[in-house]
Amino acid sequence: QVHLAESGGDSVQVGGSLRLSCVVTGLSRSGYLLAWFRQTPEKDREGVAAISGTGGIVYGNSVKGRFTISTDFAKATLYLDMSRLQPEDTGVYYCAAEHSYGPSIYPPLRPDSYNYWGQGTQVTVSS
């Protein structure tokens, strides 16, 4: 059984930085997809960043150059390091996971590609 639990959401000023964490259990180290999504009441769930067990990494266009996704399997944790935050980065951030049994150079950023989700953590960016 895959289980995910996010933490690290907070209220920050424009231009600030924040690190989100997601503890992941139940995934094989050799075959996985992990991703961050965000959602606001006004928008559909948006793919932020994704990483695969074969080293592929993909970012959404709006966060390229500002956000970094990484994993630390010793701590069973997925991270999202966010910098130069803007008000449009505000939302509930979810981590997501899926088993993967082949190489993935471009892990997907579509919500329907993932079956396992955390409960979400709120990020609010204000000026």
Side-chain angles (χ1 to χ4, degrees), residues 9-10 18 20 37-42 46 82 85-94 120-125:
D10 205 347
L18 201 59
L20 303 182
F37 291 82
R38 65 188 180 191
Q39 189 165 22
T40 65
E42 298 80 23
E46 175 191 9
M82 306 184 291
L85 285 161
Q86 299 298 314
E88 52 267 33
D89 295 316
T90 293
V92 179
Y93 282 69
Y94 298 89
T121 187
Q122 176 71 44
V123 173
T124 303
V125 184

mmCIF file of all heavy atoms in Angstrom, residues 9-10 18 20 37-42 46 82 85-94 120-125:
data_model
loop_
_atom_site.group_PDB
_atom_site.id
_atom_site.type_symbol
_atom_site.label_atom_id
_atom_site.label_comp_id
_atom_site.label_asym_id
_atom_site.label_seq_id
_atom_site.Cartn_x
_atom_site.Cartn_y
_atom_site.Cartn_z
ATOM 1 N N GLY A 9 3.870 23.401 3.965
ATOM 2 C CA GLY A 9 3.127 24.547 3.462
ATOM 3 C C GLY A 9 3.107 25.691 4.470
ATOM 4 O O GLY A 9 3.121 25.461 5.683
ATOM 5 N N ASP A 10 3.077 26.916 3.953
ATOM 6 C CA ASP A 10 3.143 28.079 4.838
ATOM 7 C C ASP A 10 2.705 29.310 4.063
ATOM 8 O O ASP A 10 2.432 29.252 2.858
ATOM 9 C CB ASP A 10 4.575 28.249 5.348
ATOM 10 C CG ASP A 10 4.649 28.997 6.677
ATOM 11 O OD1 ASP A 10 3.628 29.589 7.085
ATOM 12 O OD2 ASP A 10 5.731 28.987 7.288
ATOM 13 N N LEU A 18 10.446 28.368 -0.116
ATOM 14 C CA LEU A 18 9.775 27.401 0.751
ATOM 15 C C LEU A 18 10.160 26.001 0.285
ATOM 16 O O LEU A 18 10.372 25.781 -0.916
ATOM 17 C CB LEU A 18 8.261 27.579 0.643
ATOM 18 C CG LEU A 18 7.363 27.052 1.760
ATOM 19 C CD1 LEU A 18 7.722 27.700 3.097
ATOM 20 C CD2 LEU A 18 5.903 27.356 1.419
ATOM 21 N N LEU A 20 8.741 22.102 0.408
ATOM 22 C CA LEU A 20 7.705 21.134 0.728
ATOM 23 C C LEU A 20 8.314 19.741 0.801
ATOM 24 O O LEU A 20 9.233 19.419 0.049
ATOM 25 C CB LEU A 20 6.594 21.141 -0.328
ATOM 26 C CG LEU A 20 5.888 22.469 -0.576
ATOM 27 C CD1 LEU A 20 4.784 22.278 -1.608
ATOM 28 C CD2 LEU A 20 5.361 23.075 0.689
ATOM 29 N N PHE A 37 1.618 18.420 -7.623
ATOM 30 C CA PHE A 37 0.554 19.141 -8.293
ATOM 31 C C PHE A 37 0.077 20.249 -7.364
ATOM 32 O O PHE A 37 0.320 20.219 -6.163
ATOM 33 C CB PHE A 37 -0.621 18.216 -8.613
ATOM 34 C CG PHE A 37 -0.327 17.187 -9.676
ATOM 35 C CD1 PHE A 37 0.332 16.017 -9.354
ATOM 36 C CD2 PHE A 37 -0.699 17.404 -10.988
ATOM 37 C CE1 PHE A 37 0.622 15.060 -10.330
ATOM 38 C CE2 PHE A 37 -0.422 16.471 -11.969
ATOM 39 C CZ PHE A 37 0.242 15.297 -11.637
ATOM 40 N N ARG A 38 -0.613 21.232 -7.922
ATOM 41 C CA ARG A 38 -1.218 22.268 -7.095
ATOM 42 C C ARG A 38 -2.600 22.578 -7.632
ATOM 43 O O ARG A 38 -2.882 22.382 -8.821
ATOM 44 C CB ARG A 38 -0.347 23.523 -7.045
ATOM 45 C CG ARG A 38 -0.184 24.246 -8.366
ATOM 46 C CD ARG A 38 0.843 25.359 -8.235
ATOM 47 N NE ARG A 38 1.027 26.080 -9.487
ATOM 48 C CZ ARG A 38 2.004 26.958 -9.697
ATOM 49 N NH1 ARG A 38 2.902 27.214 -8.732
ATOM 50 N NH2 ARG A 38 2.101 27.582 -10.853
ATOM 51 N N GLN A 39 -3.434 23.103 -6.738
ATOM 52 C CA GLN A 39 -4.808 23.392 -7.125
ATOM 53 C C GLN A 39 -5.339 24.580 -6.352
ATOM 54 O O GLN A 39 -5.031 24.752 -5.168
ATOM 55 C CB GLN A 39 -5.701 22.177 -6.881
ATOM 56 C CG GLN A 39 -7.109 22.298 -7.444
ATOM 57 C CD GLN A 39 -7.829 20.979 -7.497
ATOM 58 O OE1 GLN A 39 -7.490 20.028 -6.780
ATOM 59 N NE2 GLN A 39 -8.825 20.876 -8.358
ATOM 60 N N THR A 40 -6.123 25.416 -7.031
ATOM 61 C CA THR A 40 -6.866 26.491 -6.396
ATOM 62 C C THR A 40 -8.338 26.288 -6.733
ATOM 63 O O THR A 40 -8.675 25.540 -7.667
ATOM 64 C CB THR A 40 -6.406 27.868 -6.898
ATOM 65 O OG1 THR A 40 -6.725 27.969 -8.300
ATOM 66 C CG2 THR A 40 -4.905 28.042 -6.708
ATOM 67 N N PRO A 41 -9.238 26.971 -6.021
ATOM 68 C CA PRO A 41 -10.674 26.829 -6.344
ATOM 69 C C PRO A 41 -11.012 27.260 -7.775
ATOM 70 O O PRO A 41 -11.995 26.792 -8.349
ATOM 71 C CB PRO A 41 -11.349 27.742 -5.324
ATOM 72 C CG PRO A 41 -10.408 27.774 -4.174
ATOM 73 C CD PRO A 41 -9.049 27.733 -4.785
ATOM 74 N N GLU A 42 -10.165 28.140 -8.345
ATOM 75 C CA GLU A 42 -10.478 28.678 -9.666
ATOM 76 C C GLU A 42 -9.915 27.838 -10.807
ATOM 77 O O GLU A 42 -10.307 28.026 -11.970
ATOM 78 C CB GLU A 42 -9.925 30.100 -9.809
ATOM 79 C CG GLU A 42 -10.510 31.120 -8.835
ATOM 80 C CD GLU A 42 -9.873 31.038 -7.460
ATOM 81 O OE1 GLU A 42 -8.731 30.548 -7.350
ATOM 82 O OE2 GLU A 42 -10.538 31.452 -6.494
ATOM 83 N N GLU A 46 -3.032 21.378 -11.390
ATOM 84 C CA GLU A 46 -1.947 21.703 -12.327
ATOM 85 C C GLU A 46 -0.684 20.934 -11.959
ATOM 86 O O GLU A 46 -0.284 20.917 -10.792
ATOM 87 C CB GLU A 46 -1.656 23.203 -12.278
ATOM 88 C CG GLU A 46 -0.467 23.652 -13.106
ATOM 89 C CD GLU A 46 -0.065 25.102 -12.817
ATOM 90 O OE1 GLU A 46 -0.600 25.698 -11.860
ATOM 91 O OE2 GLU A 46 0.789 25.621 -13.550
ATOM 92 N N MET A 82 11.045 25.565 -3.610
ATOM 93 C CA MET A 82 10.410 26.647 -4.356
ATOM 94 C C MET A 82 11.093 27.966 -4.018
ATOM 95 O O MET A 82 11.291 28.285 -2.843
ATOM 96 C CB MET A 82 8.923 26.731 -4.015
ATOM 97 C CG MET A 82 8.184 25.413 -4.200
ATOM 98 S SD MET A 82 6.414 25.559 -3.905
ATOM 99 C CE MET A 82 6.418 25.856 -2.138
ATOM 100 N N LEU A 85 8.971 32.982 -5.159
ATOM 101 C CA LEU A 85 7.540 32.701 -5.158
ATOM 102 C C LEU A 85 6.724 33.925 -5.536
ATOM 103 O O LEU A 85 7.051 35.047 -5.154
ATOM 104 C CB LEU A 85 7.120 32.159 -3.793
ATOM 105 C CG LEU A 85 7.537 30.698 -3.543
ATOM 106 C CD1 LEU A 85 7.509 30.376 -2.062
ATOM 107 C CD2 LEU A 85 6.619 29.764 -4.319
ATOM 108 N N GLN A 86 5.650 33.672 -6.266
ATOM 109 C CA GLN A 86 4.747 34.704 -6.740
ATOM 110 C C GLN A 86 3.321 34.402 -6.264
ATOM 111 O O GLN A 86 3.012 33.254 -5.923
ATOM 112 C CB GLN A 86 4.783 34.757 -8.266
ATOM 113 C CG GLN A 86 6.131 35.077 -8.857
ATOM 114 C CD GLN A 86 6.634 36.448 -8.436
ATOM 115 O OE1 GLN A 86 5.886 37.427 -8.466
ATOM 116 N NE2 GLN A 86 7.891 36.528 -8.021
ATOM 117 N N PRO A 87 2.453 35.408 -6.244
ATOM 118 C CA PRO A 87 1.069 35.152 -5.798
ATOM 119 C C PRO A 87 0.386 34.025 -6.573
ATOM 120 O O PRO A 87 -0.422 33.285 -5.997
ATOM 121 C CB PRO A 87 0.382 36.496 -6.033
ATOM 122 C CG PRO A 87 1.483 37.502 -5.893
ATOM 123 C CD PRO A 87 2.705 36.841 -6.472
ATOM 124 N N GLU A 88 0.721 33.871 -7.851
ATOM 125 C CA GLU A 88 0.088 32.812 -8.651
ATOM 126 C C GLU A 88 0.574 31.418 -8.272
ATOM 127 O O GLU A 88 0.030 30.421 -8.763
ATOM 128 C CB GLU A 88 0.313 33.055 -10.143
ATOM 129 C CG GLU A 88 1.753 33.278 -10.544
ATOM 130 C CD GLU A 88 2.124 34.760 -10.575
ATOM 131 O OE1 GLU A 88 1.587 35.553 -9.772
ATOM 132 O OE2 GLU A 88 2.967 35.116 -11.424
ATOM 133 N N ASP A 89 1.565 31.326 -7.376
ATOM 134 C CA ASP A 89 1.999 30.026 -6.861
ATOM 135 C C ASP A 89 1.132 29.570 -5.688
ATOM 136 O O ASP A 89 1.282 28.449 -5.201
ATOM 137 C CB ASP A 89 3.462 30.079 -6.415
ATOM 138 C CG ASP A 89 4.404 30.339 -7.565
ATOM 139 O OD1 ASP A 89 4.230 29.724 -8.639
ATOM 140 O OD2 ASP A 89 5.333 31.164 -7.390
ATOM 141 N N THR A 90 0.242 30.436 -5.246
ATOM 142 C CA THR A 90 -0.653 30.096 -4.146
ATOM 143 C C THR A 90 -1.554 28.927 -4.523
ATOM 144 O O THR A 90 -2.063 28.858 -5.636
ATOM 145 C CB THR A 90 -1.515 31.322 -3.777
ATOM 146 O OG1 THR A 90 -0.670 32.329 -3.233
ATOM 147 C CG2 THR A 90 -2.587 30.946 -2.758
ATOM 148 N N GLY A 91 -1.745 28.012 -3.576
ATOM 149 C CA GLY A 91 -2.624 26.881 -3.820
ATOM 150 C C GLY A 91 -2.374 25.770 -2.822
ATOM 151 O O GLY A 91 -1.473 25.866 -1.977
ATOM 152 N N VAL A 92 -3.165 24.722 -2.943
ATOM 153 C CA VAL A 92 -2.915 23.509 -2.177
ATOM 154 C C VAL A 92 -2.012 22.611 -3.015
ATOM 155 O O VAL A 92 -2.315 22.327 -4.172
ATOM 156 C CB VAL A 92 -4.225 22.766 -1.837
ATOM 157 C CG1 VAL A 92 -3.920 21.489 -1.069
ATOM 158 C CG2 VAL A 92 -5.152 23.671 -1.036
ATOM 159 N N TYR A 93 -0.902 22.232 -2.434
ATOM 160 C CA TYR A 93 0.080 21.404 -3.136
ATOM 161 C C TYR A 93 -0.076 19.952 -2.706
ATOM 162 O O TYR A 93 -0.123 19.659 -1.506
ATOM 163 C CB TYR A 93 1.493 21.898 -2.845
ATOM 164 C CG TYR A 93 1.845 23.128 -3.639
ATOM 165 C CD1 TYR A 93 1.239 24.357 -3.384
ATOM 166 C CD2 TYR A 93 2.785 23.072 -4.674
ATOM 167 C CE1 TYR A 93 1.539 25.486 -4.137
ATOM 168 C CE2 TYR A 93 3.105 24.194 -5.428
ATOM 169 C CZ TYR A 93 2.475 25.396 -5.152
ATOM 170 O OH TYR A 93 2.785 26.500 -5.890
ATOM 171 N N TYR A 94 -0.160 19.072 -3.697
ATOM 172 C CA TYR A 94 -0.320 17.648 -3.466
ATOM 173 C C TYR A 94 0.874 16.892 -4.032
ATOM 174 O O TYR A 94 1.338 17.193 -5.126
ATOM 175 C CB TYR A 94 -1.574 17.123 -4.167
ATOM 176 C CG TYR A 94 -2.868 17.725 -3.706
ATOM 177 C CD1 TYR A 94 -3.376 18.882 -4.310
ATOM 178 C CD2 TYR A 94 -3.599 17.155 -2.674
ATOM 179 C CE1 TYR A 94 -4.579 19.443 -3.893
ATOM 180 C CE2 TYR A 94 -4.806 17.704 -2.252
ATOM 181 C CZ TYR A 94 -5.276 18.850 -2.866
ATOM 182 O OH TYR A 94 -6.471 19.395 -2.455
ATOM 183 N N GLY A 120 -2.513 17.010 0.845
ATOM 184 C CA GLY A 120 -2.310 18.390 0.436
ATOM 185 C C GLY A 120 -1.780 19.268 1.555
ATOM 186 O O GLY A 120 -2.012 19.013 2.731
ATOM 187 N N THR A 121 -1.050 20.310 1.146
ATOM 188 C CA THR A 121 -0.535 21.291 2.087
ATOM 189 C C THR A 121 -0.673 22.672 1.439
ATOM 190 O O THR A 121 -0.383 22.844 0.257
ATOM 191 C CB THR A 121 0.926 20.966 2.471
ATOM 192 O OG1 THR A 121 1.365 21.840 3.512
ATOM 193 C CG2 THR A 121 1.875 21.057 1.293
ATOM 194 N N GLN A 122 -1.123 23.656 2.215
ATOM 195 C CA GLN A 122 -1.456 24.970 1.680
ATOM 196 C C GLN A 122 -0.220 25.866 1.592
ATOM 197 O O GLN A 122 0.520 26.013 2.575
ATOM 198 C CB GLN A 122 -2.501 25.649 2.560
ATOM 199 C CG GLN A 122 -2.857 27.077 2.153
ATOM 200 C CD GLN A 122 -3.651 27.139 0.860
ATOM 201 O OE1 GLN A 122 -4.586 26.352 0.653
ATOM 202 N NE2 GLN A 122 -3.295 28.067 -0.016
ATOM 203 N N VAL A 123 -0.042 26.476 0.436
ATOM 204 C CA VAL A 123 0.987 27.499 0.233
ATOM 205 C C VAL A 123 0.279 28.788 -0.145
ATOM 206 O O VAL A 123 -0.526 28.808 -1.070
ATOM 207 C CB VAL A 123 1.970 27.085 -0.876
ATOM 208 C CG1 VAL A 123 2.926 28.234 -1.194
ATOM 209 C CG2 VAL A 123 2.748 25.841 -0.466
ATOM 210 N N THR A 124 0.587 29.845 0.580
ATOM 211 C CA THR A 124 -0.008 31.154 0.300
ATOM 212 C C THR A 124 1.118 32.165 0.129
ATOM 213 O O THR A 124 1.969 32.302 1.000
ATOM 214 C CB THR A 124 -0.936 31.594 1.432
ATOM 215 O OG1 THR A 124 -1.946 30.604 1.629
ATOM 216 C CG2 THR A 124 -1.590 32.928 1.099
ATOM 217 N N VAL A 125 1.124 32.850 -1.023
ATOM 218 C CA VAL A 125 2.141 33.850 -1.319
ATOM 219 C C VAL A 125 1.453 35.202 -1.405
ATOM 220 O O VAL A 125 0.533 35.386 -2.198
ATOM 221 C CB VAL A 125 2.865 33.543 -2.642
ATOM 222 C CG1 VAL A 125 3.989 34.553 -2.871
ATOM 223 C CG2 VAL A 125 3.406 32.124 -2.637
#
